[in-house]
Amino acid sequence: MTQPLQTPIDVSADDPLIRDLRRLLGDAAVLTDADALAFHGQDVYGIGAPLRAVVRPASRPALAQALGMLTAAGVAIVPRGGGMSYSGGYLAPTAGAVLVDTGGLDQIVEINPHDMYVVAEAGVTWAALDAALAPHGLRTPFWGPFSGIRATVGGSISQNAVTYGTGLHGTAVDSLVGLEVALADGRLVRTGSWGHGAAAPFFRHFGPDLTGLFGGDAGALGIKTAAAFRLVKRRPITTGVSFGFQDFQGLLGGMAAVAREGVVSEGFGLDPFLQNQRLGMGDLKSDLKMLLAVGKAGRGPVEALWQMAKIAVAGRGFLKDVNYSAHYTVDAADRDEERSLLRRVRAAAAPFGREIENSMPTVVRAYPFPPLNHILGPKGERWVPVHGILPFSRVGDFRAALEDLYAARAEAMTRHKVLVAAMFSTVSTNAFLYEIAIYWEEARAAFHDRMLEPAAAASLARYPANPEGTALVEALKADIVDLFHRHGAAHLQVGRLYPLAADRDPAAADLLRSVKRWADPAGLVNPGALGL
């Protein structure tokens, strides 16, 4: 929940714990100044309880030792990756916790093109990992979220994530072959073949799937220090195709039909609000940057110029007569495969809508990891998403119930200038991710000014504190989460927001609590995450 900045903890210069941490990690890796504590204690939406310190270990053994030291001292720990959470995943629930920032673990340990796996430390960003793999003609199957310029491997696995490659390969956790995790007592555990003697980290399944156990755990079972992913060859041809739909049912039908084909690397959709936002955002400089990215991604000078010319002519007007739109990318080995894949996409989508200019998927793929200026609304409003993953057959009923909820709160939302929008995507062949974006006028936090590009931070409007509007957003979020739960949704980024424990099968709930007690007997590693 968004709340005023709290009074920072006064850390004594001779605090023995801080002194010991500095001796272990080095002075530069232990932060106690007010600005650092304030920034690290915030996420996209909320502010946690005051931190005692932030530590940023530079090696995996040092992180494990620091974790053992902290838990032995009875100090709560919250782990942080790239910081792009909105669900309280790394916000301290009580004062005095130490935040472990894994961003210092930024080495790519091994790229093995022969055995087709890569090992990266937890603080490596998806943008950096993809850039390192590109010269080898390789890629991880899932290769990052939109926020991959900052989102890290470890954070995305702890939260689980979707976007690039999700249409074919599922979530971030689905691409793993092994993990290295620091437990509360300072031990390092490796999973899959990686944990077996001299075996390489090339295969996930050797007995029970311990890798999956730590995926999506919000860091409640341990702190990721490194991850191993399988690799796939990059396809030389990437092509976008887009469709427009008159109503949501057409969009849902088209997206589900295309997903079932199992041929698109990504499939995402936009509602009218987000389409209008896209039409109204940007300036000449940002548009030129995207066009240049499209040119660089072209298959040759002629095709690059052709793609750039098409986008320039279409401008931002290609969505003006479209209520909903869906955008797909296919990756092909050659022209024959490209034509075959596109035929299947068009045949699946055509009964529900009409094909439109493919500017959006072309730009997204050419410029996959843009600056994080979307963490505020188009006019500088505060922004928070809420999502659920549903089977296709349940999306319509959820949508109807959501519209009833909006109608019941319409007067208050208008009075407090709270706006809602939605983005949609498909996960593999069998799931529909419904993500709601909420915008409202509220003061920025330190987090936003530090994450935004300086030009964006300066150009976007600032608003005064709006506690009544924020209270409405908090109530609306809770209602939406409850609505998702009643319709049987699953969630990524569980953190402290989504009701993992509610209505859980009792045996499964006992199993999860037992694993937590084994991994973290004192309950000091990210306490409260996952409802544990």
Side-chain angles (χ1 to χ4, degrees):
M1 178 176 177
T2 301
Q3 49 189 290
L5 279 173
Q6 301 182 31
T7 304
I9 291 176
D10 183 17
V11 179
S12 170
D14 60 354
D15 182 331
L17 177 64
I18 302 302
R19 189 170 60 245
D20 290 345
L21 287 169
R22 285 183 170 141
R23 187 178 299 118
L24 171 66
L25 304 174
D27 290 348
V30 182
L31 309 177
T32 57
D33 62 284
D35 288 345
L37 299 185
F39 170 71
H40 286 89
Q42 303 171 14
D43 68 7
V44 171
Y45 176 68
I47 298 172
L51 297 168
R52 184 172 178 177
V54 172
V55 298
R56 187 181 170 91
S59 76
R60 289 136 63 194
L63 185 149
Q65 285 181 265
L67 193 56
M69 179 185 296
L70 289 166
T71 54
V75 176
I77 299 121
V78 284
R80 183 184 187 274
M84 297 311 299
S85 170
Y86 65 88
S87 56
Y90 62 84
L91 299 185
T94 56
V98 171
L99 183 141
V100 177
D101 179 354
T102 60
L105 305 181
D106 59 359
Q107 299 301 302
I108 297 173
V109 178
E110 180 184 7
I111 298 173
N112 191 320
H114 187 78
D115 292 329
M116 295 294 279
Y117 68 82
V118 60
V119 179
E121 290 187 328
V124 173
T125 67
W126 289 99
L129 180 60
D130 192 59
L133 292 171
H136 300 273
L138 299 172
R139 173 177 287 157
T140 53
F142 167 88
W143 52 283
F146 284 131
S147 56
I149 194 170
R150 278 192 180 265
T152 62
V153 163
S156 296
I157 294 164
S158 293
Q159 298 279 45
N160 215 348
V162 294
T163 300
Y164 295 114
T166 288
L168 286 176
H169 302 288
T171 69
V173 171
D174 292 327
S175 291
L176 284 170
V177 290
L179 282 172
E180 182 183 79
V181 182
L183 301 179
D185 60 7
R187 287 180 295 168
L188 284 169
V189 59
R190 289 177 172 176
T191 68
S193 63
W194 200 2
H196 181 64
F202 75 104
F203 194 69
R204 176 164 171 167
H205 300 286
F206 187 6
D209 183 17
L210 299 182
T211 301
L213 187 65
F214 292 99
D217 73 337
L221 302 180
I223 299 181
K224 280 79 182 168
T225 56
F229 295 92
R230 67 185 179 91
L231 295 173
V232 295
K233 285 189 174 182
R234 287 177 182 256
R235 303 282 184 154
I237 298 174
T238 295
T239 307
V241 60
S242 298
F243 277 80
F245 307 91
Q246 290 308 304
D247 54 31
F248 177 77
Q249 287 305 315
L251 171 82
L252 173 60
M255 291 191 71
V258 172
R260 292 186 192 106
E261 292 297 310
V263 296
V264 297
S265 295
E266 300 92 36
F268 66 92
L270 303 174
D271 77 350
F273 181 98
L274 286 183
Q275 290 186 163
N276 289 332
Q277 179 178 327
R278 171 65 188 95
L279 294 177
M281 288 181 69
D283 54 23
L284 179 60
K285 182 179 177 182
S286 60
D287 285 353
L288 286 173
K289 187 185 292 186
M290 288 188 291
L291 276 177
L292 288 172
V294 171
K296 289 179 182 177
R299 289 168 241 170
V302 174
E303 179 157 347
L305 287 171
W306 170 242
Q307 288 287 351
M308 292 168 68
K310 279 187 7 180
I311 292 172
V313 170
R316 297 179 191 155
F318 68 98
L319 293 173
K320 281 185 177 177
D321 298 323
V322 174
N323 290 328
Y324 293 84
S325 62
H327 310 274
Y328 307 101
T329 50
V330 298
D331 293 304
D334 53 40
R335 295 290 191 179
D336 287 340
E337 185 180 22
E338 177 193 34
R339 285 190 288 268
S340 174
L341 294 175
L342 291 175
R343 274 197 303 269
R344 291 174 66 181
V345 173
R346 287 170 172 141
F352 303 92
R354 64 178 178 85
E355 189 168 352
I356 59 175
E357 179 57 54
N358 67 349
S359 300
M360 191 166 291
T362 301
V363 167
V364 166
R365 262 307 194 90
Y367 195 38
F369 302 123
L372 300 177
N373 297 330
H374 69 275
I375 60 173
L376 291 178
K379 298 178 181 178
E381 311 98 314
R382 289 290 295 274
W383 162 81
V384 65
V386 189
H387 80 273
I389 302 173
L390 296 155
F392 301 126
S393 61
R394 294 194 178 189
V395 176
D397 288 344
F398 167 79
R399 168 86 174 189
L402 181 66
E403 289 180 331
D404 289 343
L405 172 62
Y406 289 160
R409 290 197 174 271
E411 187 277 329
M413 291 169 67
T414 300
R415 180 158 34 94
H416 293 292
K417 299 180 182 178
V418 175
L419 301 173
V420 290
M423 181 174 176
F424 320 98
S425 57
T426 49
V427 182
S428 190
T429 59
N430 61 315
F432 189 89
L433 191 150
Y434 196 121
E435 181 168 282
I436 297 157
I438 306 175
Y439 302 91
W440 79 108
E441 295 181 1
E442 174 61 281
R444 291 184 209 172
F447 175 93
H448 302 96
D449 281 321
R450 188 153 162 182
M451 288 289 195
L452 289 168
E453 282 189 311
S459 65
L460 292 171
R462 290 183 179 272
Y463 299 97
N466 179 13
E468 291 184 356
T470 296
L472 175 61
V473 170
E474 185 67 14
L476 185 61
K477 274 182 58 199
D479 286 344
I480 293 171
V481 169
D482 180 66
L483 200 61
F484 273 125
H485 182 67
R486 285 190 274 126
H487 285 80
H491 300 278
L492 311 171
Q493 296 206 41
V494 174
R496 293 174 174 82
L497 175 63
Y498 295 111
L500 177 66
D503 301 328
R504 198 74 170 176
D505 171 78
D510 284 346
L511 177 59
L512 181 57
R513 286 192 291 267
S514 296
V515 172
K516 172 68 171 175
R517 285 193 296 270
W518 169 82
D520 178 23
L524 293 171
V525 179
N526 217 8
L530 304 186
L532 298 172

